[in-house]
Every structure is written in C-alpha cells, then in structure tokens.
Amino acid sequence: MSITDPLARLESLIAQAEAKFGPRQPVALTAVGFARVGNPITLFSKQEHGAVILMVAVGEALLTDEPTLQYQLAHEAVHCLAHNFKITRLEEGVATLFGLDHAPAGEEDRLDFVRKQYLADVRSLLKASPDAIRVLRGKSPKFQDIEPADIEALGAAPDLANRLCAPG
Ligand SMILES: [Zn+2]
C-alpha cells in the first residue's frame, strides 16, 4: 500500500489505536512532518489558550522506505494517545507492537535489542490479560501514571509489572 498522505494515514492509525487501547487525550491540531531527524519523534506543545498541538516528525529517508514508514506511523500513533513526558517500557512496547501490527512481515527482525525486550514483556502481559491496555488506560489515561500494582491486579507477575513501569 502506498502512503500518499501521511497525516491522513496517521489519523486513521490513531483512531484504530483508540479503539484498541482507549481514547486519546484531546488535541487541537495534528501534523506530520518530514525532517532531518535521527529518530522519529512525537511532540506535544501547549499553546496560550490551553490548546495542545501534536506533531509527529519522521525522517526524510522514510519517504522512500515504505515498510518502515508504515511501522513508524503506527508506532507514533500510540505515542499520540496521551501527552507523556516520561516514556515507560509499557508505552514503548505497546507502540512497538502496534507498529508491527501495521507493517509488512519482517519489520520485527529490524527492531533493536531493547525494543524486542519491551515487546516480549507487553506480549506476556496481553497473554495474561488481552484487554490490559484499555483497562489500565481507563484508570490512568497517561501511560506514565500506570503503577506496577495496577498491572499486577491484571494477573501479571510482580517482576514483569515493575519492568513495564520502568523508563523505556
Ligand atoms: Zn517510541
């Protein structure tokens, strides 16, 4: 599939992420930009009247690397769900999982070692409790506010719960 309109694609992915993981915190405007960034990034900025602007920047190189662009837009869609200043392993793992769900087969092999670990932990959690993310975000819409005790309450082992709440 060709991505001719990355913003429309991102908005569609955010809607799918909301259906799966619970609603996004309200934002005034969303934009996707291509820039000379080393790592793709999701940025939130608060304007004078309290409006939250959301921007996603992905590298120019991705314009010609469609499988990775598909992965990356889906990955960033999860980061777009809430304004977090601390990214936990849980959030990064969910973003990685959702990215792979929307990318061609083979993208998982290209993940770095730490993201493979976060992914394995998130898969363990979802095996114990398939609707875990929506339940957790129902209580704490921001991933950074989710506590190990909340994760343990869903049947996860304490060491897994602690790891998932650590900085990613
Ligand atoms: Zn990420």
Side-chain angles (χ1 to χ4, degrees), residues 50-141:
V52 176
I53 310 281
L54 170 62
M55 276 203 55
V56 172
V58 293
E60 280 173 323
L62 288 192
L63 281 172
T64 53
D65 180 359
E66 197 166 302
T68 305
L69 179 59
Q70 290 194 39
Y71 166 81
Q72 204 64 53
L73 288 175
H75 180 110
E76 300 303 323
V78 170
H79 290 313
C80 291
L81 291 176
H83 182 186
N84 297 296
F85 53 85
K86 182 187 89 180
I87 304 292
T88 61
R89 294 179 185 212
L90 176 65
E91 177 173 359
E92 189 59 20
V94 172
T96 300
L97 179 68
F98 192 71
L100 292 175
D101 282 349
H102 292 84
E107 280 298 293
E108 186 164 347
D109 298 336
R110 297 168 65 174
L111 294 175
D112 59 33
F113 179 70
V114 292
R115 279 182 185 74
K116 283 180 179 165
Q117 289 184 311
Y118 303 165
L119 181 65
D121 279 348
V122 166
R123 283 176 171 156
S124 296
L125 171 63
L126 294 177
K127 202 173 167 190
S129 176
D131 205 27
I133 309 306
R134 190 208 301 271
V135 172
L136 292 166
R137 291 195 62 243
K139 186 181 174 206
S140 306

